[in-house]
Amino acid sequence: MQEIVRQIRELVLSRWTNGEVHGVSHWDRVYGYGMRLIAPGVDPLVVALFAYLHDSCRMNDGYDTYHGPMAAVWMDSLRDTYLKPLSDEQMRLLKEACRLHTTTHKTGNPTIDACFDADRLDLWRVGIKPDPKRMATAKGRKIAQETDYNAMRD
């Protein structure tokens, strides 16, 4: 798992021309949150890859409505190379998580919902305290409740 995640991280980083709000430090934190959200029924590889792919097609560091769907489309071009080890179901989940991560609160799929929460738990970086009520998973709610976000800004 670690090798494919490393390769995707390097690929996305090599293409990244935007700022740090949605850059590598964000992706690394989303990865860390995602690994904390692993629970029964959650695919760790999908969550890990989501961390590095969900913002990969952003046009800028500001408001960009279509970056998730664009990332899902871009992943098709990686299917026979970087993403070849993924099963069809893993690919479907990864694309769906990227496509919906800015528009959907919860899907009921444990893997996709863990992806959503991993990204939401990093909202503190832009001055938004993650709201436990807006998390899609029980673990996400718990992390949001227990984290001292004020200490993280120092």
Side-chain angles (χ1 to χ4, degrees):
M1 178 174 112
Q2 292 304 321
E3 183 59 20
I4 186 175
V5 174
R6 183 192 64 74
Q7 289 176 355
I8 288 293
R9 183 183 186 274
E10 287 179 11
L11 173 67
V12 175
L13 185 57
S14 74
R15 299 169 22 112
W16 190 252
T17 59
N18 296 316
E20 270 306 302
V21 172
H22 294 96
V24 69
S25 60
H26 167 58
W27 309 330
D28 288 341
R29 284 190 303 272
V30 172
Y31 174 84
Y33 285 123
M35 294 303 97
R36 290 175 63 190
L37 293 165
I38 300 304
V42 175
D43 187 318
L45 180 56
V46 172
V47 174
L49 291 172
F50 170 85
Y52 296 103
L53 290 166
H54 75 284
D55 283 339
S56 63
C57 290
R58 277 189 157 276
M59 301 304 287
N60 58 60
D61 243 350
Y63 190 73
D64 183 351
T65 306
Y66 299 106
H67 73 277
M70 288 176 12
V73 169
W74 180 56
M75 282 183 246
D76 286 332
S77 71
L78 305 176
R79 183 67 176 123
D80 292 330
T81 55
Y82 291 93
L83 299 177
K84 190 172 185 139
L86 273 66
S87 69
D88 289 343
E89 178 64 5
Q90 287 173 311
M91 188 73 175
R92 185 190 71 74
L93 291 170
L94 180 59
K95 288 174 65 176
E96 191 77 354
C98 288
R99 188 174 66 78
L100 298 175
H101 81 276
T102 61
T103 61
T104 303
H105 171 254
K106 183 176 181 174
T107 65
N109 178 283
T111 298
I112 295 173
D113 290 348
C115 292
F116 291 172
D117 282 0
D119 190 33
R120 289 183 190 128
L121 287 165
D122 199 42
L123 285 171
W124 62 267
R125 79 191 188 287
V126 292
I128 300 170
K129 182 179 177 187
D131 182 350
K133 294 177 199 152
R134 302 199 76 179
M135 295 295 138
T137 68
K139 278 190 173 187
R141 285 188 290 282
K142 185 173 169 105
I143 293 169
Q145 288 170 339
E146 295 176 351
T147 302
D148 181 358
Y149 292 101
N150 291 325
M152 295 174 83
R153 291 183 206 190
D154 298 334

